[in-house]
Amino acid sequence: MVKFDCEVDAQSIADFTKALARYQRETQRDMRGALRSATIDLCRSLRARTRKAPKIVPREDVRWGEEEPKYYTGKKSGRMFKRVVVTRWSSGKRVQKVHWQEVQTKYRSRKTRKGISESWSEATAGMLREARQRFGVVRMWGLAKKSWGWFMQALFNKSMQDENPRAVITGRMVDREMTEKREPLPDGTIDLQAPIKCEITLVNKLEYIRRALQPGALAAAVRAATNSINKKITAGLRSRKFGA
């Protein structure tokens, strides 16, 4: 039985199940092989439809703080700093982080009748750019996309895309289980010739995984995985790899 705890229409699930049965029947593989191939295709489809966060927050998410104190001066250095607020995601919510950016100055000189006078003002634009580069780095970019590759690696030893080594998948983010067994006979014995029943469970616990997915991605991924399975069969997977 194939079950999806997400927004996938009944027809897409039925088509996916039919593709599994066809794969098993026409390639002469057991359900383990069919389910393994289908799960890999599904994870690839989901990974392709998962958006990747930028490596740095957008410019509009970095602004000067309005609360007091807006400035402070370092006791030892004598340097002045200005309050800057960076909005970013944390634990599935938008939060504001306060940082302090060193004040830069820009000088203007002009010639007057009495000589040359100078004035200065804050280099606001340059300071904000530097603050964004300094405080707006997204350390875990690509984590959501990487989570689908984690399932492939954990279950089937398939390599996963590792564009950002700092985006580390942990057990509190994802979980999986794969069981393979034969159903016991009424007398409790096991028929070693009976087909092996295989069950695979994938649980993605990232709190923002649904937001990271493109609109309609879950249903589209199931349809794409179904098409991939059928394409493998139609292209002659059975004749090339499994014989008649």
Side-chain angles (χ1 to χ4, degrees):
M1 179 182 293
V2 177
K3 296 173 67 177
F4 291 90
D5 185 18
C6 53
E7 300 84 356
V8 180
D9 61 276
Q11 186 60 53
S12 294
I13 296 176
D15 292 342
F16 186 80
T17 305
K18 289 178 183 177
L20 272 176
R22 183 187 173 208
Y23 186 96
Q24 180 185 12
R25 182 177 63 254
E26 297 193 25
T27 65
Q28 299 182 3
R29 300 185 72 183
D30 58 20
M31 184 52 71
R32 287 184 300 172
L35 195 56
R36 178 185 186 278
S37 181
T39 303
I40 291 174
D41 282 340
L42 181 60
C43 286
R44 283 174 175 162
S45 297
L46 286 167
R47 183 171 63 185
R49 289 164 176 79
T50 301
R51 291 175 287 205
K52 185 166 57 178
K55 299 179 183 180
I56 190 168
V57 299
R59 284 180 294 181
E60 58 268 24
D61 285 346
V62 181
R63 62 177 177 81
W64 297 124
E66 297 298 327
E67 296 182 2
E68 297 292 344
K70 295 181 181 180
Y71 296 86
Y72 87 88
T73 302
K75 293 182 179 180
K76 293 184 179 181
S77 66
R79 293 181 297 179
M80 183 180 292
F81 296 84
K82 188 173 183 178
R83 181 188 291 264
V84 62
V85 177
V86 180
T87 303
R88 57 195 316 156
W89 288 99
S90 178
S91 300
K93 298 179 181 179
R94 297 268 285 175
V95 297
Q96 295 183 340
K97 302 287 187 179
V98 174
H99 302 277
W100 295 93
Q101 173 63 33
E102 184 176 358
V103 173
Q104 302 166 1
T105 57
K106 59 181 179 180
Y107 291 90
R108 292 182 178 176
S109 300
R110 65 189 183 92
K111 193 172 183 179
T112 67
R113 292 180 180 178
K114 297 182 179 181
I116 296 177
S117 66
E118 289 188 341
S119 62
W120 67 273
S121 61
E122 292 180 2
T124 305
M127 288 165 58
L128 273 181
R129 285 194 297 269
E130 184 174 322
R132 179 173 175 242
Q133 293 294 327
R134 185 178 179 188
F135 305 119
V137 173
V138 180
R139 189 172 66 87
M140 301 284 275
W141 61 268
L143 184 69
K145 183 180 284 286
K146 190 175 182 179
S147 66
W148 302 115
W150 182 91
F151 291 117
M152 295 167 59
Q153 197 280 329
L155 289 170
F156 312 117
N157 293 319
K158 288 284 185 180
S159 62
M160 62 179 181
Q161 295 177 348
D162 195 10
E163 299 178 31
N164 182 9
R166 292 186 296 179
V168 179
I169 306 293
T170 67
R172 63 184 177 82
M173 303 174 185
V174 288
D175 196 10
R176 90 290 187 210
E177 182 179 1
M178 182 167 64
T179 59
E180 297 179 346
K181 62 181 180 179
R182 290 185 172 92
E183 293 291 343
L185 298 172
D187 61 1
T189 60
I190 301 294
D191 180 5
L192 298 181
Q193 302 303 315
I196 296 177
K197 182 181 179 181
C198 179
E199 294 182 356
I200 298 176
T201 302
L202 310 180
V203 182
N204 196 320
K205 297 182 284 186
L206 283 174
E207 59 272 344
Y208 58 89
I209 189 62
R210 290 180 183 271
R211 290 194 303 273
L213 289 167
Q214 298 171 1
L218 292 169
V222 173
R223 291 192 295 269
T226 301
N227 292 337
S228 178
I229 296 168
N230 286 321
K231 186 175 180 180
K232 289 177 182 177
I233 302 168
T234 303
L237 182 62
R238 179 184 60 163
S239 63
R240 289 201 311 271
K241 291 188 177 181
F242 304 102

